Amino acid sequence: MKVAIVGASGAVGQEFLRVLEERNFPIDELVLFGSHRSAGKKFQFNGKEIEVKLLQHNDDFKGIDIAFTSAGGGTSVEFAETITKHGAIMIDNSSAFRMDKDVPLVVPEVNATDAKHRPRGIIANPNCTTIQMVVALKAINDLSKIKKVHVSTYQAASGAGAAAMDELYQQYREILEDKEVTVSKFAYQLAFNLIPQVDEFTENGYTKEEMKMYNETKKIMHSDIEVSATCVRVPALRAHSESIWIETEKPISVVEAKEAFKNGDGIILQDEPSKKEYPMPLFVTGKDPVYVGRIRKDLTNPNGLAFWVVGDQIKKGAALNAVQIAEYLLA
Ligand code: HSE
C-alpha cells in the first residue's frame, strides 16, 4: 500500500504519522507532501526519516493508493484532481467537499458503507465536533430515533491549530509576568477566559462551526435530525467536550442509555457521579474512543436525555477517523 499525507507538518498531519504507526497500517511506502514552507522538513516514520515533498501539479500521485489530506480547504480544492486522477482515494479533512452529494461523509461507527460510493474518488472526514457527537448519538438512535439535539461545545485551543496552543501557553506566561497579552490566533485573550465563537458568523447568527454540526449530522445519520449548537472555545489544550441534550421518539431510561453507551462502538462509558467519575479533556487527550458520562433524564421532557461527551479532536476527531475509513476500505 502506497500512502500519502498532504499537509504532513501540521498538527493533524503529524497525528496521521502517529496513528498510522500505532495501528500498524499496512504501508509499503509513505510519501509526505507540504507547501513551500514545509517542503524539505524531515519526519520519522517507523524508524525511517521521510522528507516532505513540495505539493505540485505533476504526476507525483501516480501509484498512490490512499492520500490523507489535511492542508486546508483551499489546497484540497486546488489539488483534488491532481491527487485523484491516477486512482488514489483522497480522504479529505477539510470542509470543502463535505456537503457535496457525490462525496460520502463518513464516521465508520455510524455509516461506514457510505465510503463505498465515491464517484469522484473523494471521501470527506467530518468536522471534529460532529464526529464525536454522532458516535455517541448512534448508540441511542439505535434504541429510538433521535428527533432533536441541543449541544454546547467546549473546544480546546488546539482545534485552532498548533500555533494557537502555543499562544495559550504564551498568554498565561505573559499574564504571570505582567506583560501585555499577545492575541493573534483567537478573537480575544483565551487565558482565564472563554470565547463563544468558533469560526466566523453566518447570516442566521450561528457560526460556521455550529452550522457544520447542523448539516453534517443529518448527512452522516441519514436522518432529518435537528441540531442546534453553541460552539465555545475554552482554555483546555486538547480534546473537545460537548454537553448534549436529545429528544427521542420513545422515552429512554438512564439504565437503557448507559447500556447502549457501554456496548456502543467506539465509546467508553465513564459515569459514576458518586465517585466523581466523568470524562474530562485532560484525561481523554491521546485516547482513541469517545468518552460519555453524566447521563441523566432531562427534567423538562419525558423523552429527553442529557449527557456529556469528550473526545480527542485531533485523534478521533480527525486523523484516527480518516485512518479508520481507510481500514474499512481495505477490510
Ligand atoms: N474546527 C475545530 C476547532 C477543529 O476549531 O476546534 C476541528 O478539528
Side-chain angles (χ1 to χ4, degrees), residues 108-110 134-136 138-139 142 260-268 289-290 316 324:
E109 290 87 342
V110 183
V134 297
V135 167
K138 164 83 165 64
D142 286 349
F261 287 132
K262 202 164 104 194
N263 299 324
D265 205 4
I267 299 173
I268 297 281
V290 166
K316 178 57 186 168
Q324 287 173 321

Side-chain angles (χ1 to χ4, degrees), residues 109-110 135-143 254-270 289-292 295:
E109 290 87 342
V110 183
V135 167
L137 294 187
K138 164 83 165 64
I140 302 295
N141 200 60
D142 286 349
L143 295 179
V254 169
V255 172
E256 287 169 320
K258 281 192 181 186
E259 192 62 17
F261 287 132
K262 202 164 104 194
N263 299 324
D265 205 4
I267 299 173
I268 297 281
L269 175 69
Q270 188 182 15
V290 166
Y291 285 66
V292 181
I295 300 152

Side-chain angles (χ1 to χ4, degrees), residues 12 127-129 155-156 158-160 198 209 212 233 240 313 317-318:
V12 175
N127 196 45
C128 49
T129 47
Q155 295 182 227
S158 52
V198 177
E209 186 83 353
K212 283 176 187 173
R233 184 75 67 200
H240 287 354
Q313 92 284 359

Side-chain angles (χ1 to χ4, degrees), residues 236-252:
L237 273 180
R238 187 165 157 166
H240 287 354
S241 308
E242 300 182 3
S243 174
I244 300 176
W245 174 95
I246 59 171
E247 183 184 336
T248 48
E249 257 174 17
K250 287 184 264 159
I252 307 279

